[in-house]
């Protein structure tokens, strides 16, 4: 019997496809998310919007809260550790969390990322472009998500990251078989040539790729799915809205029926206030969480 | 023949790829019109609570039941197995999950534990021989009754079953590249 193989880790991520993963801070919120049709919950001590507001050092959530959330729901539970914080990731694995998000939402603990291949449980990491994505995959990430700009409710950065990735993937796919070009790309991305060749051959990221960071409405989710996301992470968008149950259900349906405007229209009606949000252009570079890793 | 893959959530494209490799015509099913065109159906892996909820919201729930009763072959993997079962124990009760209830079996969700405990293990399938078992937060069949027949067991738990034109596995053949179970579904069950 084998555990922790890449097939099991990447397979777990594949089971999340077409789904919505929701940030929750209490067992009650986790139950609301499960009931609304979330494929998994991300257990946190505060949603990104509140982390942004509070300032200071953001760390892994209290293990007691994470444990309570794992007991409250039957769907997978994920949790965030700081970039490079091997010990936090080990604690999360010991709790029995199903996937770790090595996340720029928390304050980084190291300039280098975790060697994720050493863990039994799978990891998801953020990326703004193909180079970042392939470096994380090379470190053992089983899933990639856009970084976007967390806690803002402004979708523009997630769109930018997904479009950048798509353009770079198309460029690689076109150069399939062009060893000289792919070798140059491998050097530029600082990853092995085999990984670049594999990606060029597939014409997509070799692991599941979700959208995250600033998705606040059903239409935002539909937009990201139309850009080719495999699924959606919603952070502050649900529990910072005026009616979380309705928002959660509406985003799940819009994610599934992203290519049917009449469904997105139907579920978008009468939802109440979306989270207020912050225009990302109003942020100083040092306030941007996406700048925290490369 | 046109084989639909229920495409509400989960590893839909992996099943479509397996069908393509076998020369079968696969189609993404996510509404009544695409279900009507399918002659057989695969329910993929994913989150059974999510797929179940989306089945109800897209009016597919009753239609899948009706088609199954009319003889449409269905193959469910992992979450698909849970949805095909009549009973799914404590976890299903806890989430108020509705099941299609088409196969005479009682299943346990997450029977082997969380993702940390997910595993790969060669298994023995009646009539097929050894097969690579990929178990991801997998369910298990606690017992079969009525017309349902166990096809494979692991440590005393049933992990694959068949009832007439319905086939279910707790593991993911679609993640292995081994096409024998999909072929079995197309040739024997169909």
């Amino acid at each position: 019997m084998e555990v922790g193989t890449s097939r099991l880790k990447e397979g777990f991520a594949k089971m999340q496809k077409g789904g919505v993963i929701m940030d929750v801070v209490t067992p009650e919120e986790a139950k609301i998310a499960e009931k609304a049709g979330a494929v998994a919950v991300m257990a946190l001590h505060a949603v990104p919007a509140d982390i942004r507001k509070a300032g200071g050092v953001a760390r892994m959530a209290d293990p007691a809260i994470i444990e309570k959330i794992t007991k409250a729901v039957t769907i997978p539970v994920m949790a965030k550790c700081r970039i490079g914080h091997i010990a936090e990731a080990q604690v999360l694995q010991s709790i029995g969390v199903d996937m770790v998000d090595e996340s720029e939402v928390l304050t980084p603990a190291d300039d280098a990322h975790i060697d994720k291949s050493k863990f039994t449980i799978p990891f998801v990491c953020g990326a703004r472009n193909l180079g970042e994505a392939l470096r994380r995959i090379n470190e053992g990430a089983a899933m990639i998500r856009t970084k976007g700009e967390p806690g803002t409710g402004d979708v523009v950065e997630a769109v930018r990251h997904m479009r950048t990735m798509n353009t770079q993937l198309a460029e690689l796919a076109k150069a399939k078989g062009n060893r000289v070009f792919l070798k140059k790309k491998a050097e530029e991305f600082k990853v092995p040539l085999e990984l670049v060749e594999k990606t060029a051959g597939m014409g997509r990221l070799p692991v599941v790729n979700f959208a995250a960071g600033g998705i606040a409405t059903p239409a935002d989710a539909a937009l990201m799915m139309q850009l080719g996301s495999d699924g959606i992470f919603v952070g502050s968008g649900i529990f910072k809205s005026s009616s979380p149950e309705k928002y959660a259900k509406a985003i799940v349906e819009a994610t599934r029926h992203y290519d049917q405007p009449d469904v997105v229209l139907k579920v978008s009606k009468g939802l109440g206030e979306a989270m207020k949000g912050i225009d990302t252009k109003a942020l100083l570079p040092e306030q941007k969480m996406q700048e925290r890793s490369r | 023949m046109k084989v639909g893959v229920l495409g509400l959530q989960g590893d839909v494209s992996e099943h479509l790829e397996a069908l393509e490799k076998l020369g079968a015509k696969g189609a993404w099913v996510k509404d009544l019109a695409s279900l009507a065109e399918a002659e057989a159906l695969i329910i993929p892996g994913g989150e059974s609570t999510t797929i179940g909820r989306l089945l109800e919201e897209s009016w597919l729930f009753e239609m899948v039941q009706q088609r199954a009763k009319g003889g449409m072959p269905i193959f469910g993997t992992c979450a698909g197995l849970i949805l095909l079962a009549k009973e799914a124990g404590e976890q299903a009760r806890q989430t108020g999950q509705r099941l299609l209830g088409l196969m005479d079996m009682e299943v346990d969700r997450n029977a082997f534990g969380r993702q940390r405990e997910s595993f790969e293990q060669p298994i023995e399938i009646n009539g097929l021989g050894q097969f690579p078992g990929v178990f991801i937060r997998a369910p298990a069949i606690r017992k079969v009754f009525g017309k349902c027949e166990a096809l494979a067991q692991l440590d005393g738990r049933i992990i694959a079953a068949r009832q007439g034109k319905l086939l279910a596995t707790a593991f993911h053949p679609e993640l292995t590249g081994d096409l024998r179970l999909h072929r079995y579904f197309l040739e024997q069950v169909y």
Side-chain angles (χ1 to χ4, degrees):
Chain A
M1 193 180 85
E2 280 185 287
V3 298
T5 63
S6 329
R7 182 181 282 164
L8 291 166
K9 291 175 175 175
E10 290 165 20
F12 170 81
K14 286 176 181 169
M15 297 311 143
Q16 306 285 307
K17 284 195 293 182
V20 181
I21 300 166
M22 303 181 190
D23 279 5
V24 299
V25 300
T26 63
E28 291 71 32
E29 287 186 358
K31 281 185 186 160
I32 291 172
E34 181 178 53
K35 223 164 167 207
V39 286
V41 292
M42 178 74 68
L44 290 158
H45 72 286
V47 292
D50 290 333
I51 291 175
R52 187 177 281 287
K53 217 184 289 166
V57 177
R59 309 178 178 92
M60 171 183 79
D62 179 351
I65 296 178
I66 301 172
E67 261 176 9
K68 272 188 202 149
I69 290 173
T70 59
K71 289 192 180 112
V73 292
T74 65
I75 55 177
V77 176
M78 307 181 178
K80 291 187 195 291
C81 77
R82 284 180 263 177
I83 288 170
H85 208 309
I86 301 159
E88 281 188 351
Q90 288 164 344
V91 169
L92 294 176
Q93 177 161 284
S94 294
I95 293 172
V97 157
D98 296 292
M99 181 175 243
V100 175
D101 183 359
E102 187 184 17
S103 176
E104 66 283 359
V105 166
L106 306 182
T107 312
D110 196 335
D111 296 327
H113 283 70
I114 297 172
D115 177 0
K116 294 164 270 288
S117 62
K118 295 222 166 71
F119 285 75
T120 307
I121 56 172
F123 279 68
V124 55
C125 288
R128 290 176 295 184
N129 51 53
L130 187 55
E132 289 185 359
L134 292 182
R135 283 194 286 284
R136 300 295 89 78
I137 293 168
N138 192 43
E139 294 155 2
M143 182 177 183
I144 294 295
R145 55 169 175 75
T146 59
K147 285 180 178 170
E149 192 49 47
T152 60
D154 187 350
V155 78
V156 64
E157 293 295 316
V159 169
R160 185 169 291 141
H161 300 161
M162 193 56 82
R163 281 204 188 278
T164 304
M165 200 106 68
N166 288 344
T167 307
Q168 292 176 301
L169 281 165
E171 190 189 24
L172 272 201
K174 229 174 109 185
K176 190 169 94 177
N178 181 346
R179 226 181 135 81
V180 177
F181 178 83
L182 296 182
K183 209 166 163 207
K184 207 180 89 204
K185 280 287 160 189
E187 276 161 24
E188 180 194 325
F189 294 153
K190 301 188 187 74
V191 295
L193 175 61
E194 299 75 60
L195 181 57
V196 175
E197 283 176 330
K198 185 179 171 188
T199 308
M202 293 174 76
R204 58 153 294 145
L205 276 189
V207 300
V208 166
N209 187 19
F210 269 46
I215 294 142
T217 68
D220 286 350
L223 169 63
M224 295 312 300
M225 292 300 286
Q226 287 186 31
L227 292 177
S229 306
D230 289 316
I232 303 288
F233 280 92
V234 190
S236 320
I238 290 170
F239 291 99
K240 284 281 154 192
S241 73
S242 62
S243 47
E245 280 100 343
K246 277 198 204 162
Y247 252 90
K249 267 189 81 173
I251 291 181
V252 168
E253 285 198 50
T255 299
R256 177 58 285 149
H257 301 288
Y258 66 89
D259 51 355
Q260 291 165 260
D262 50 329
V263 176
V264 180
L265 159 68
K266 193 186 83 195
V267 303
S268 299
K269 277 183 192 165
L271 286 179
E273 288 283 303
M275 69 180 284
K276 182 159 180 286
I278 305 164
D279 181 344
T280 50
K281 285 198 295 297
L283 294 174
L284 299 168
E286 60 268 28
Q287 290 174 310
K288 288 195 175 169
M289 291 172 170
Q290 60 173 287
E291 301 288 344
R292 287 171 163 176
S293 75
R294 288 183 191 268
Chain B
M1 80 186 93
K2 203 163 175 186
V3 183
V5 180
L6 187 66
L8 297 173
Q9 192 273 315
D11 67 336
V12 185
S13 54
E14 285 69 15
H15 278 289
L16 288 170
E17 277 160 29
L19 291 170
E20 197 190 326
K21 281 185 196 151
L22 287 170
K25 215 169 150 204
W28 198 290
V29 168
K30 59 182 214 177
D31 51 26
L32 289 171
S34 44
L35 178 62
E37 283 175 19
E39 295 168 56
L41 186 69
I42 292 178
I43 307 180
E47 271 310 306
S48 64
T49 48
T50 307
I51 298 175
R53 213 156 295 272
L54 290 168
L55 264 175
E56 291 193 55
E57 260 137 33
S58 34
W59 307 100
L60 283 166
F61 200 93
E62 278 77 18
M63 191 49 77
V64 171
Q65 285 178 321
Q66 242 181 62
R67 292 285 309 275
K69 278 167 195 159
M72 176 175 68
I74 306 181
F75 178 18
T77 61
C78 196
L81 171 141
I82 296 168
L83 287 160
L84 286 170
K86 287 229 160 97
E87 280 279 337
E90 184 49 42
Q91 287 211 355
R93 273 192 287 280
Q94 191 187 324
T95 55
Q97 189 177 3
R98 235 179 115 199
L99 306 169
L100 291 166
L102 295 167
M103 289 177 77
D104 296 332
M105 58 188 191
E106 190 181 322
V107 305
D108 282 324
R109 285 183 58 201
N110 304 327
F112 299 93
R114 309 189 66 90
Q115 177 59 20
R116 200 176 48 192
E117 285 80 46
S118 290
F119 62 97
E120 292 192 52
Q121 158 101 45
I123 51 168
E124 209 44 62
I125 303 175
N126 289 355
L128 274 189
Q130 210 184 62
F131 197 89
V134 176
F135 294 81
I136 297 176
R137 286 174 49 97
I141 302 166
R142 186 198 293 256
K143 62 172 185 202
V144 292
F145 50 93
K147 291 179 183 152
C148 190
E149 166 201 359
L151 286 184
Q153 303 209 6
L154 181 66
D155 303 331
R157 285 187 257 214
I158 304 166
I159 47 166
R162 177 176 174 183
Q163 179 172 347
K165 293 193 167 183
L166 308 173
L167 176 68
T169 64
F171 47 92
H172 294 282
E174 75 278 14
L175 295 182
T176 63
D178 190 320
L179 302 169
R180 283 177 296 155
L181 264 168
H182 286 84
R183 189 179 291 127
Y184 175 80
F185 176 62
L186 295 178
E187 288 173 3
Q188 314 256 334
V189 181
Y190 199 90

